[in-house]
Amino acid sequence: MKNKEIIIGVIVGLISTCIGTLFYLLYIGNQRNASFDAIWDFAISTGQISSVVVYGAALNFLAFFGFLKFNKEASAKGVLIVTIITAVLVLSHKLLF
């Protein structure tokens, strides 16, 4: 039962990171009057993609504290796992590139 809740938290964490990244890219695209593809290509070519993912992962705070509010500690742990993995991947990307 506990492992199932952790997996649910991991899935919610991944989805919220993807949605947050998408929202951030759309927000920047509207500010610069550029298409989504142009902003994505710009972020990849300039090496700013890790920063974009970090801003997108900020949405995990809502999921984490939402799970805690409803006493779903195991699901909150899954969101925290995704957030830590994202942080390690972004850090390694920044150090390597």
Side-chain angles (χ1 to χ4, degrees):
M1 180 73 174
K2 191 172 184 178
N3 288 336
K4 182 180 176 183
E5 290 181 16
I6 292 174
I7 291 172
I8 289 171
V10 167
I11 292 170
V12 168
L14 288 172
I15 290 172
S16 67
T17 300
C18 291
I19 289 173
T21 302
L22 177 68
F23 282 161
Y24 183 72
L25 287 172
L26 291 173
Y27 174 74
I28 289 181
N30 285 339
Q31 296 234 334
R32 296 186 182 179
N33 293 328
S35 68
F36 177 79
D37 293 333
I39 295 295
W40 180 260
D41 291 338
F42 177 76
I44 296 242
S45 66
T46 59
Q48 297 294 323
I49 193 65
S50 57
S51 299
V52 170
V53 171
V54 166
Y55 287 124
L59 198 58
N60 283 349
F61 286 115
L62 293 175
F64 178 76
F65 288 114
F67 281 131
L68 287 181
K69 181 175 173 82
F70 294 109
N71 295 324
K72 301 283 188 180
E73 287 84 11
S75 296
K77 186 187 294 186
V79 174
L80 186 62
I81 289 169
V82 169
T83 305
I84 291 171
I85 290 171
T86 302
V88 168
L89 290 175
V90 166
L91 180 64
S92 64
H93 180 262
K94 289 279 191 184
L95 292 175
L96 295 176
F97 297 106

